[in-house]
Amino acid sequence: MALRHLKKVRVAVSLILFLCALSLFIDFGGFIPPAVVSATTTLQILPAVVRAFSGAAGAIAAACGILLLTLLFGRVYCSSICPLGTLQDMFSRLNRRRNSVRRFRYRRQNRVLHYGLFLLAAALAGGGSMLLLYVVEPFSTFGRLASTFLRPVAVAVNNGFAAGLTALGSYAVYTVPFRIQGTGVLITAALSLAVLFVMSYTRGRLFCNTLCPAGALLGFLSRFSVLRIAIDRGACRDCGLCERVCKAECVDSVGMHVDFTACVGCFNCFDACPTVGLRFRRPPHREEPPVNRRRRRALRNAAAAAAFLAVPSDTLRKLLPAPTGKSRSSLPITPPGSAGIERFTSRCTACHLCVSQCPTQVLTPAFLEYGPGGLFQPRMDYSVSPCTYECVLCGEVCPTGAILPLAPETKKLTQIGKAKFVKDDCIVITKKTECGACSEHCPTKAVHMVKAEGHFLPEVNEELCIGCGSCEHPCPSTPNKAIYVEANPVHLRAKMPETTKPAPAAGTGSDFPF
């Protein structure tokens, strides 16, 4: 295959994988099987690396495959597999449509900043805080943008189509609850989108070579790549086209040099070159450059700052009080399979895949509920819906293992919180009216009605309660729910609900009683 055709192959592969990744976050009907979701997310480098530390064989194989690909051909992942990279190319192409001549030029990469941020994020993650890592991690960033802005658009289009068909007497398409995230989440996601757009529109892959932790890791590994893009001095005509189309700004057409650690493998230079002036070559042997002591000092300072800031998430959560909202729980409630707050916040990269896949949308991005160290990480919001008793989807799709997959039988006994009843807020007391909504909806019958003070009031058996929110969600008391779920910092195991079979009518034997 001619080298100039590599760009066409890269564009086709990147668009296919981009659409596959996008479909995960706008799949509001659960059409994509969890096995397909898991296979798609395994292709993403940092989620695969995080999950590989827990011993997942598929994640280990995927991470090793991406690292091997980098050691062979450089950062091909960045332009062909990463969905955020493809999104940046789309933003950058808007500028190309406006300006027929590209404006890219060679710039020396700021590796002190890039590697320093990577070391800081890695050290913080090792200390239990994933905040800095997932704020700039590409797959998580793409997931947050897709679930926050594109999923509501997809739901609106579906509902409009369903309404049109209903007017024609057809019910082939059903409506889906439309929901927009909270103000804080929307504002921060919009700021993230604006920064990404400006960086991509003006400087191409500036984000990849300045902030992205995957770019730093793969850029370092590409120093040892077997094959690298290099300029053939004999075939080059000094036209400079390769430099003008290089969105990573790593081609120096004057110095006849390609900074391969910054190259994202887009192959635009191969496509633009009028001759075969660029080739894949084995790196020539050269003497080691002199030690840059200033750079080493900066990296040491970054590592020292990381050690100082590497504070567990549960400690960071205490820095700011949890905001008081519709939930009366003093702590945010984490999904079944997360095992508890500390474990969940130390593994979750806030990609929002579980939020997008949740059929009832009970999972919602947190703002400051976990404190500053848990920004965007999902929590249970029972004002929207309870957690479906039979559903285990969030654990099946989680790409990092922050939510472990549970069997339905295990999930039904996983206690993520305990229901608490506040008698003075119950409408049976405040409005002198009968109510039993909490007891009627409880799937384990941990909430049951008892006679007290001349009324039937709910009573909670905490040993049977799993904290699913089926009692809190339908409670009609305002402004405060009379029954709510208090989070378990560490998940517990509830008792198996007793099942009693009705006794047969006396004297009927095996015959019908009529």
Side-chain angles (χ1 to χ4, degrees):
M1 182 194 304
L3 292 178
R4 64 173 59 252
H5 296 316
L6 286 176
K7 178 184 176 181
K8 297 183 178 68
V9 175
R10 188 267 304 171
V11 170
V13 171
S14 62
L15 286 177
I16 291 172
L17 294 180
F18 175 82
L19 293 176
C20 289
L22 179 61
S23 66
L24 304 183
F25 296 96
I26 63 175
D27 177 25
F28 50 80
F31 303 112
I32 303 176
V36 177
V37 176
S38 179
T40 304
T41 56
T42 301
L43 295 175
Q44 305 305 319
I45 176 65
L46 286 183
V49 169
V50 172
R51 191 153 196 172
F53 281 109
S54 64
I60 294 175
C64 291
I66 294 173
L67 297 181
L68 179 60
L69 181 67
T70 305
L71 290 174
L72 289 175
F73 304 107
R75 294 168 57 182
V76 177
Y77 168 89
C78 297
S79 272
S80 301
I81 302 176
C82 178
L84 191 70
T86 305
L87 182 63
Q88 292 178 76
D89 291 344
M90 294 177 180
F91 291 156
S92 180
R93 190 168 180 82
L94 294 176
N95 199 341
R96 182 177 180 179
R97 293 177 63 88
R98 182 170 171 268
N99 300 296
S100 58
V101 180
R102 295 304 290 156
R103 72 287 177 205
F104 295 128
R105 62 182 178 85
Y106 172 73
R107 290 180 171 89
R108 292 180 60 87
Q109 305 300 320
N110 192 339
R111 292 190 179 88
V112 173
L113 172 63
H114 200 191
Y115 291 161
L117 281 176
F118 173 75
L119 292 175
L120 180 61
L124 286 172
S129 174
M130 301 287 284
L131 177 61
L132 181 58
L133 182 64
Y134 66 68
V135 163
V136 291
E137 195 274 316
F139 181 70
S140 300
T141 301
F142 175 78
R144 288 193 297 272
L145 296 178
S147 62
T148 303
F149 298 114
L150 298 182
R151 189 181 190 278
V153 174
V155 171
V157 171
N158 173 83
N159 291 351
F161 189 54
L165 290 179
T166 301
L168 298 175
S170 172
Y171 300 92
V173 180
Y174 59 89
T175 59
V176 179
F178 181 82
R179 186 185 181 200
I180 297 179
Q181 303 297 347
T183 304
V185 174
L186 278 175
I187 292 176
T188 49
L191 288 174
S192 176
L193 178 62
V195 170
L196 185 71
F197 177 82
V198 171
M199 295 180 77
S200 305
Y201 187 83
T202 58
R203 295 279 302 276
R205 290 300 190 92
L206 179 62
F207 173 87
C208 301
N209 285 325
T210 306
L211 302 178
C212 179
L217 174 62
L218 299 180
F220 176 78
L221 291 177
S222 65
R223 291 172 174 264
F224 312 101
S225 296
V226 175
L227 296 175
R228 306 182 187 182
I229 297 176
I231 297 177
D232 186 343
R233 295 176 179 267
C236 180
R237 295 181 178 177
D238 297 327
C239 64
L241 286 176
C242 54
E243 180 176 344
R244 291 199 291 273
V245 300
C246 178
K247 57 193 175 187
E249 299 180 327
C250 65
V251 177
D252 181 6
S253 60
V254 177
M256 296 286 183
H257 168 68
V258 177
D259 182 359
F260 197 62
T261 60
C263 175
V264 296
C266 67
F267 308 130
N268 286 355
C269 53
F270 287 152
D271 181 67
C273 184
T275 64
V276 191
L278 294 107
R279 302 176 184 271
F280 268 115
R281 286 181 174 176
R282 294 178 63 87
H285 175 73
R286 61 179 182 179
E287 297 182 357
E288 290 293 326
V291 175
N292 190 329
R293 299 187 181 278
R294 181 180 179 184
R295 179 179 300 172
R296 287 193 173 184
R297 189 182 307 112
L299 293 177
R300 282 200 304 268
N301 293 338
F308 177 75
L309 293 173
V311 184
S313 300
D314 60 336
T315 303
L316 286 174
R317 181 183 54 78
K318 298 175 183 177
L319 297 178
L320 288 178
T324 56
K326 296 182 179 179
S327 175
R328 302 177 70 168
S329 177
S330 59
L331 297 172
I333 304 171
T334 59
S338 60
I341 294 177
E342 183 176 354
R343 181 193 176 278
F344 177 65
T345 55
S346 66
R347 287 169 171 79
C348 176
T349 61
C351 69
H352 292 184
L353 185 56
C354 59
V355 174
S356 298
Q357 291 283 321
C358 181
T360 63
Q361 293 294 284
V362 64
L363 279 172
T364 187
F367 186 54
L368 292 176
E369 285 81 358
Y370 290 109
L375 194 67
F376 303 133
Q377 292 179 331
R379 65 179 180 90
M380 309 292 276
D381 185 359
Y382 295 139
S383 66
V384 176
S385 170
C387 180
T388 305
Y389 191 50
E390 304 279 347
C391 182
V392 292
L393 190 57
C394 55
E396 292 179 339
V397 302
C398 179
T400 64
I403 308 175
L404 296 173
L406 298 178
E409 295 75 16
T410 304
K411 191 253 186 176
K412 293 176 182 177
L413 297 177
T414 301
Q415 188 186 76
I416 62 178
K418 299 183 183 76
K420 304 292 183 181
F421 175 60
V422 183
K423 183 180 69 174
D424 293 339
D425 290 331
C426 183
I427 64 170
V428 174
I429 301 299
T430 59
K431 297 185 178 180
K432 308 300 180 183
T433 183
E434 297 298 327
C435 182
C438 52
S439 176
E440 292 174 2
H441 289 83
C442 179
T444 66
K445 297 307 173 187
V447 181
H448 54 277
M449 306 302 290
V450 296
K451 189 80 170 181
E453 302 179 13
H455 302 281
F456 283 98
L457 293 172
E459 183 179 75
V460 180
N461 183 345
E462 293 188 356
E463 293 182 339
L464 298 179
C465 180
I466 60 173
C468 65
S470 295
C471 57
E472 178 179 338
H473 177 68
C475 178
S477 299
T478 55
N480 296 320
K481 298 283 188 178
I483 191 167
Y484 67 97
V485 178
E486 181 68 35
N488 283 342
V490 177
H491 293 181
L492 305 174
R493 182 177 175 85
K495 282 189 174 182
M496 179 78 72
E498 296 182 1
T499 56
T500 58
K501 295 182 179 180
T508 60
S510 59
D511 300 328
F512 289 103
F514 54 84

